Structures are given as C-alpha cells and as structure tokens.
Amino acid sequence: MTRDESADGVAGSPRDARASGRADALGDGGPGELIGSGRSADVYALGAEWVVRRYRSARDTAAETAVMRRLASYGYPLPAPGPGPFAPREMVVRRVTGPTLAQSLADGGTSAVEGAALLAGLLNRLHSLPAPEGAPAGHRLLHLDPHPENVLLSPTGPVVIDWESAAVGPPGLDWASSALILAEASLRLDVAALVELFLPEFLALAPPGLDAHLVAARERREAIPGLTAQERALPARAFALLPPLRARARARYDAERQP
C-alpha cells in the first residue's frame, strides 16, 4: 500500500503556491515541510489549513480536481480542493488530521469487523452517487485504489484520499481492486492478520459482482508503471488467494447470521 496523499495522518496534494499566485489566499508564502511521499507524489504543508501534492512526473491535475469537486458536491467525505488554479503537476487540498484506518487497525483502535464495515460502507456510498453524464448503464465513478491507507479517521469522520486513479466503471471493479490490494499487502508485508481477520470480513460484505472483476483488477495492478519484477508478480499471487478465501468468508458470514 502506498500513501501518496497522507503522512502521519495528514491528507494532502501539491503545488507551488507562489507560482500560481494563490499563496496569500491559502496561508503562507509557499509550500513548507515535506510531510509525506508515495510512489508518484510528495506532499508538503501549506500553512496550517492546506497541503500541496506535487507529482514527480508531468501530468495535468485538472481531471483529478474535477472528480474531487464533483464528489464533494454530493457530500462525499474527501479533502476539499483549494480554489486553484494550480501549477503544473500540483494540487492543493485542505489539511485533514487523524490516523489512517491502517494505523488504527494496527494499534487496536479499530477492530477488523469495524474496519471492514467502514471500508465497505465508503465503497457503497461512493457507488450510490449518480453516474457521470454519458457513463454506460450500471457504471459509476470508482476510486480504484480503496484500502485502509487511503482512509483517514478525522475528528469529524472518515475521509477518503488519493483520487489519482479514479475513473468510471462497474462498481465490482472497485471492490475487486480493494480485495486484491489487501491480499497483496498480506503477502508483501507478511501480515497474517490481514488474511485471517480483515480481508475475510471485507470479502463477506462484498457484492456478488466482485468475482467477475478480479481478472481486470489484476491486469490493472500488473500494468502500474515502475513496478519491480517482485512487485509485478504480487497481483497474480494475491489473485490466487481470493476465490477460496471469499467462498469461506461468505459461508461463515451466512452461517453466523442464520436465525
């Protein structure tokens, strides 16, 4: 798992405030302390209320910003983007404090059952929003990188960060992506609790459509630029874990809820 938008429980996104002429509106004279780094971006403090996310490769952040503004208009919990315009490769969002869901799971502040229900609820809420204009029937706006490192537990509730990969597609692909990322993390980090506790709880809550999208989710993960050979092999290994684990999780879930 990577946390491109958070560090020590602070959500963010980058740009040089001085270059865009928005520093006075957003805080101090420009980006300050480096507070986080991920695979594709670095995050800097920008005064007390904002952070700036600076991508390391050339890209236009307008699409990501537009996605976030659209979701915010429906009340979906994410860091509010700044007023813009942003410098190339950069984006400003409001600072959000609190631990990640991953941190809270690790220190016992959130149980596996609670964490799985929280992540599942955020996915269901996202997929219940109206589809973007022109989207195929049944498609919705997807996050496509939903996992506990991308959920901040702020004082006012959970906040979903890192919308770089967002796209329109079938909701089952979001669930499959999440399951695959969790399974990869269990292999990469050798965290048995992920497979034994959190992942089964999450899979038990997933809709039937998840299974049909596991291949597409694996192919998307394998196509991420810049992966090492070891990282590129992880999605296939994780893929093999999921069908039997999901079947067992669903059977247990159904048995526990029998009257």
Side-chain angles (χ1 to χ4, degrees), residues 14-26 28-32 46 52-54 84-92:
R15 69 151 210 177
D16 184 342
R18 291 165 292 192
S20 70
R22 288 284 182 169
D24 292 340
L26 295 176
D28 58 17
L46 186 63
V52 58
R53 177 174 181 169
R54 178 175 294 133
F86 305 140
R89 299 188 297 120
E90 299 179 351
M91 181 174 62
V92 168

Side-chain angles (χ1 to χ4, degrees), residues 79-206:
F86 305 140
R89 299 188 297 120
E90 299 179 351
M91 181 174 62
V92 168
V93 299
R94 190 170 292 280
R95 192 164 187 161
V96 179
T97 59
T100 64
L101 176 56
Q103 290 169 328
S104 188
L105 287 164
D107 66 21
T110 302
S111 71
V113 172
E114 293 168 336
L118 176 60
L119 185 59
L122 289 167
L123 284 171
N124 283 330
R125 183 174 173 183
L126 176 62
H127 302 153
S128 72
L129 298 177
E133 185 176 355
H139 285 210
R140 293 292 187 271
L141 186 61
L142 313 180
H143 185 282
L144 291 177
D145 195 17
H147 56 73
E149 289 282 7
N150 279 340
V151 178
L152 291 179
L153 304 181
S154 81
T156 58
V159 175
V160 181
I161 63 173
D162 194 354
W163 293 88
E164 173 187 357
S165 301
V168 172
L173 181 58
D174 236 359
W175 285 89
S177 297
S178 186
L180 200 63
I181 292 167
L182 290 166
E184 285 181 38
S186 73
L187 294 170
R188 185 178 69 252
L189 305 176
D190 193 24
V191 181
L194 271 175
V195 172
E196 296 169 2
L197 299 174
F198 186 88
L199 187 52
E201 292 292 339
F202 179 77
L203 289 172
L205 298 172

Side-chain angles (χ1 to χ4, degrees), residues 56-79:
R56 299 191 197 97
S57 59
R59 71 178 67 198
D60 182 0
T61 59
E64 184 177 354
T65 304
V67 164
M68 295 177 71
R69 293 196 197 285
R70 182 179 189 278
L71 292 172
S73 74
Y74 289 111
Y76 194 80
L78 47 71

